[in-house]
Amino acid sequence: MERSEEYIKNERKQEWRVELQKLTKAKDRMAIERVEMTEMAPEERIKSQRVEVNVGLTKEQAMLEATRCMDCVNPTCMEGCPVSINIPKFIKNIERGNILEAASVLKETSALPAVCGRVCPQEVQCEQRCFYVEKLNLPSVAIGHLERFAADFERESGVISVPKIAEANGIKVAVIGSGPSGLSFAGDMAKLGYDVTVFEALHEIGGVLKYGIPEFRLPNAVVDVEIENLRKMGVKFITNYIVGQTASLDDLREEGYKAFYVGSGAGLPRFMNIPGENSNGIMSSNEYLTRVNLMGADSEESDTPILRGKNVVVVGGGNTAMDSVRTAKRLGAERAIIVYRRSEEEMPARVEEVHHAKQEGIEFLTLTNPIEYIADENSRVKQIKVQKMELGEPDASGRRRPIPMEGSEYTIDATVVVVAVGVSPNPLIPNSVEGLEVSKWGTIEVVKDKMQSSIPEVFAGGDIVRGGATVILAMGDGRKAAKNMNIYLQEKYLSNKVEH
Amino acid sequence: MNKIVEKENFSEKVVKIVVEAPLIAKARKPGNFVIVRVGEKGERIPLTIAGADVSRGTITIIVQKMGVSSTKLCNLEVGDYVTDLVGPLGKPTEIHNVGTVLCCGGGVGVAPLLPIVEGYKKAGNRVVTVIAARSKDLLILEEEMRKHSDELIVMTDDGSYGRKGLVTEGMEEVIKREKVDECITIGPAVMMKFCSLLTKKYEIPTMASLNSIMVDGTGMCGACRVTVDGKTKFTCVDGPEFDAHKIDFDEMMSRLGGYKEEENDKMDHFQN
Ligand SMILES: Cc1cc2nc3c(=O)[nH]c(=O)nc-3n(C[C@H](O)[C@H](O)[C@H](O)COP(=O)(O)OP(=O)(O)OC[C@H]3O[C@@H](n4cnc5c(N)ncnc54)[C@H](O)[C@@H]3O)c2cc1C
Ligand SMILES: Cc1cc2nc3c(=O)[nH]c(=O)nc-3n(C[C@H](O)[C@H](O)[C@H](O)COP(=O)(O)OP(=O)(O)OC[C@H]3O[C@@H](n4cnc5c(N)ncnc54)[C@H](O)[C@@H]3O)c2cc1C
Ligand code: SF4
Ligand code: FES
């Protein structure tokens, strides 16, 4: 994963790269305008929860966009990528039309490029550090769109390469949780020859990728292909199995599992604890999105009910809030409103999601915070009392702290309210495993960069270690954990010295 | 996929199902429940584990037809498979030797009460059980209850069997007659509310097992939240049993109706 600067520099000097560099003048590269992603028309796409908004780039569009990239001597974009994908190398492969090669470059580092290309907040990662942004004050190279293009091209070509698997070493390892972190860990361990079983509490594999992020942003089919690939690599999946409840870690030890990776996520929804919050019609974003995305409640055919309303309010400003409010629109809300206590600038959601939400007619009430819910005679919410806020000094997160404005209260009508104000680590594993060190926030403590917990054979990563974070970080943790668990197991059971 | 190996119709509306689930059979404790899903479009519904046979690797669930999902489950036959089954969930009942325990069950709530009655008896308590139903044909598990209780009182609303009256009447009689150290109540929310008011009057520590609406059953969604002692709790992970005297039963009852219209639509859709 980690590659020396030396190596990156030498690769850049490979013949084909040098030829490409010479082929087009820098001035001409800069003259190309950033590609526009083709999107489904807003009035069409809001009719279905399952129509993807972004259509994807054509090969011509992708190759032209790839031409914009300068193949910089010092590719700062890579510093912005949490897992240091070799960005210029994959982009230059697209420029020369070698898309499958580009996909395989992505896979050197990212276990789920088709997912990351769709959901990574590129505008604050690689794209923010692109030469075009840092030095030219121009729109960055569309790294995210290109990543998605390469991964989709490979998937659609039907010639997905199943990675080489080392000879089976007979060592059983268990993965707890099938989110992006668990999946990427499983893939790497299978490649190294381990006997890998993934245990999942829900009836579906994929974690947040399935129950949280809606199909209009990330189609299930994209995730399923990755899961299928892992199956081909020999990874076993067991659903409806809650480690710590169905069986304990000790039970699994008895069954011969030698090591564990906990990727159990941050599944516990937070509420605001304001009056009236337990009225009917008020729910967490996890409940709302799970009913729709996992249980299919947007369809008549599903047995799971969902509350629809003319006016739906979603509280929060993150990706979860955007996903919820856009889901509400798709379920037929006339007014779907974001209520967020800071200003748009501080919103943690991906910029593209906010942009798409606006296109879809989502209303934004920023600098506004709910303080009470008012219910009707059947205890169903009918109004939200809100308060206006102003921004003060920056707080611990570096964002300006919202301060309530006295006397600014007013009410908004809504019969469905979705609370999307954050999640806490899933307490199932921390509560059920003795001797596991846990922080005061409930996250599992690990040795940084090794992802090893206070119990030597238990590794952990993703949201259970970081609190609510991102897909790419969860994935990166999984890969780091695999690398270090391999070292640990090789030394312990196979008396092999592995280069650290 | 879990295979149904035994089925018995207790009444037109209540069915006993024995289903293969070896790991759950081994891990379950009194008070635990499972989440069941029938069919690829199925809903996840919580059901208490009414019993388990570790050697056969099965658990017993007792289901009352309420809406679409419970009806679909009741319609399955021996040899059919339940699409998904996960558990055991929830905190188990804290069973100690406390002296005399009064166990009260109403309707299908008698089913989850059975393993608790068994547990209290095994722990050396004197167990007096009161079970109630609207009428004779809705009464379940009488024999099993009698076997594990020191005394069993049966009440029916219409007097078609046992004694005529509500569960609370049978309870009060026991409380007036002898010292009761602990009480547990499982049944419809209204019933639990009145049981709780009664034992509060006599200052008898009481637990109630709540049947909130759930989705995942693992603490992920908050659909099952209830107010206990002024604080929001999640029934699936913090419960399902709570100190009855501290539960906000009125809120709990109104939350049970939170999807009423939508559920009725689903039922219409299912029947037509
Ligand atoms: C609605 C929503 C939208 C988001 N949008 C974005 C986005 O656009 N971009 C982005 O980068 N990030 C986004 N995120 C955040 C991102 O999804 C998470 O950071 C990431 O999924 C964390 O991965 P994970 O593998 O750690 O955990 P999860 O994806 O949460 O998976 C954990 C899994 O473990 C299972 N589990 C838990 N306990 C047990 C147990 N005891 N036994 C067995 N299984 C267990 C859970 O059921 C779950 O399936 C979003 C999150 C949400 C909720
Ligand atoms: C921890 C726990 C343990 C349970 N154990 C059992 C059990 O052992 N046996 C059993 O039969 N049931 C049990 N239940 C209740 C059972 O889960 C519900 O009856 C079931 O979910 C109803 O689903 P449905 O789709 O058939 O009906 P729905 O269509 O969901 O409901 C039909 C009607 O019943 C109402 N309703 C919905 N849920 C409930 C509820 N939980 N209680 C009362 N009314 C409700 C609805 O408002 C609606 O009007 C338990 C519930 C919990 C939380
Ligand atoms: S910084 Fe931008 S221009 Fe330079 S290599 Fe990275 S993507 Fe290409
Ligand atoms: S059922 Fe989802 S949190 Fe309890």
Side-chain angles (χ1 to χ4, degrees), chain B residues 82-97:
Chain B
V82 169
T83 314
D84 294 291
L85 179 67
V86 61
L89 299 164
K91 287 194 178 142
T93 313
E94 284 186 32
I95 293 177
H96 306 285
N97 188 339

Side-chain angles (χ1 to χ4, degrees), chain A residues 36-93:
Chain A
E36 286 268 352
M37 172 60 82
T38 311
E39 297 165 350
M40 298 294 290
E43 54 290 356
E44 275 308 308
R45 68 191 194 223
I46 60 167
K47 289 179 192 157
S48 167
Q49 181 75 6
R50 320 254 160 201
V51 169
E52 196 178 3
V53 173
N54 283 346
V55 174
L57 304 182
T58 62
K59 190 170 172 185
E60 293 67 37
Q61 280 178 311
M63 285 172 66
L64 185 62
E65 180 64 19
T67 311
R68 288 181 72 218
C69 170
M70 301 290 193
D71 200 358
C72 302
V73 181
N74 174 24
T76 42
C77 52
M78 283 181 67
E79 291 165 19
C81 175
V83 296
S84 323
I85 289 178
N86 194 339
I87 293 170
K89 186 176 173 193
F90 102 79
I91 292 185
K92 291 300 111 181
N93 268 301

Side-chain angles (χ1 to χ4, degrees), chain A residues 10 16 55 82 115 127 187-188 190 196 217 253 265 269 272 274 290 298 320 337 340-341 376 379 390 399 457 462 480:
Chain A
N10 284 338
W16 68 271
V55 174
V115 174
E127 293 187 9
D188 277 13
V196 186
R217 238 171 16 102
R253 283 193 183 100
M272 293 171 69
I274 57 176
T290 299
D298 53 315
T320 316
I337 308 165
Y340 180 56
R341 66 193 179 124
D376 67 12
S379 308
E390 58 192 346
R399 297 176 299 175
E457 71 278 20
K480 255 187 241 159

Side-chain angles (χ1 to χ4, degrees), chain B residues 43 45-46 48 62-64 66-67 69-70 211-212 256 263:
Chain B
E43 185 181 16
I45 60 165
T48 309
I62 293 171
V63 201
Q64 179 170 24
M66 294 288 298
S69 306
S70 49
N211 55 351
S212 323
L256 272 180
E263 293 285 12

Side-chain angles (χ1 to χ4, degrees), chain B residues 15-239:
Chain B
V15 175
K16 173 181 139 178
I17 289 171
V18 180
V19 59
E20 283 176 354
L23 290 174
I24 302 175
K26 209 167 103 192
R28 72 99 203 194
K29 293 200 176 72
N32 283 145
F33 64 96
V34 289
I35 292 249
V36 175
R37 197 170 78 103
V38 180
E40 282 311 319
K41 307 274 177 209
E43 185 181 16
R44 296 168 64 98
I45 60 165
L47 297 164
T48 309
I49 304 169
D53 185 335
V54 180
S55 60
R56 271 173 88 197
T58 59
I59 60 166
T60 301
I61 47 184
I62 293 171
V63 201
Q64 179 170 24
K65 288 186 190 172
M66 294 288 298
V68 178
S69 306
S70 49
T71 305
K72 278 190 176 170
L73 180 61
C74 289
N75 290 348
L76 294 182
E77 298 299 339
V78 172
D80 287 346
Y81 286 83
V82 169
T83 314
D84 294 291
L85 179 67
V86 61
L89 299 164
K91 287 194 178 142
T93 313
E94 284 186 32
I95 293 177
H96 306 285
N97 188 339
V98 292
T100 300
V101 185
L102 181 58
C103 299
C104 319
V108 77
V110 171
L113 193 61
L114 181 62
I116 296 172
V117 166
E118 277 182 59
Y120 272 115
K121 188 65 201 160
K122 259 195 219 135
N125 294 282
R126 171 174 157 76
V127 179
V128 182
T129 305
V130 186
I131 58 174
R134 250 176 296 138
S135 61
K136 182 174 184 226
D137 50 316
L138 292 173
L139 198 70
I140 57 170
L141 299 174
E142 185 192 351
E143 275 325 300
E144 289 84 344
M145 281 297 188
R146 200 180 300 283
K147 198 170 108 195
H148 297 288
S149 312
D150 291 280
E151 186 187 342
L152 178 76
I153 300 172
V154 179
M155 311 286 303
T156 50
D157 291 7
D158 63 358
S160 54
Y161 187 71
R163 296 235 293 281
K164 182 174 158 69
L166 298 171
V167 79
T168 40
E169 292 169 42
M171 288 169 70
E172 192 154 24
E173 193 187 297
V174 178
I175 296 169
K176 280 184 172 158
R177 179 184 80 193
E178 62 185 295
K179 182 171 176 290
V180 173
D181 299 289
E182 213 172 280
C183 177
I184 176 139
T185 171
I186 311 184
V190 227
M191 176 201 120
M192 291 193 280
K193 176 181 171 180
F194 285 102
C195 291
S196 170
L197 287 173
L198 178 76
T199 58
K200 197 168 187 176
K201 195 169 86 184
Y202 292 99
E203 291 175 10
I204 302 167
T206 300
M207 297 299 279
S209 178
L210 303 184
N211 55 351
S212 323
I213 290 178
M214 295 189 177
V215 181
D216 58 300
T218 65
M220 186 192 89
C221 76
C224 63
R225 57 199 199 277
V226 285
T227 303
V228 180
D229 206 10
K231 290 191 197 75
T232 294
K233 299 276 175 191
F234 288 5
T235 305
C236 65
V237 285
D238 301 323

Side-chain angles (χ1 to χ4, degrees), chain A residues 113-126:
Chain A
V115 174
C116 294
R118 287 173 165 83
V119 306
C120 272
Q122 290 96 2
E123 73 277 1
V124 294
Q125 297 181 166
C126 52

Side-chain angles (χ1 to χ4, degrees), chain A residues 331-365:
Chain A
L331 291 176
E334 280 169 28
R335 291 185 71 190
I337 308 165
I338 284 282
V339 168
Y340 180 56
R341 66 193 179 124
R342 304 184 201 243
S343 72
E344 194 176 317
E345 212 170 296
E346 285 85 19
M347 278 193 178
R350 295 178 76 224
V351 168
E352 189 180 34
E353 308 314 327
V354 176
H355 169 68
H356 283 163
K358 286 186 174 164
Q359 290 177 331
E360 290 163 11
I362 306 299
E363 296 169 54
F364 285 75
L365 287 178

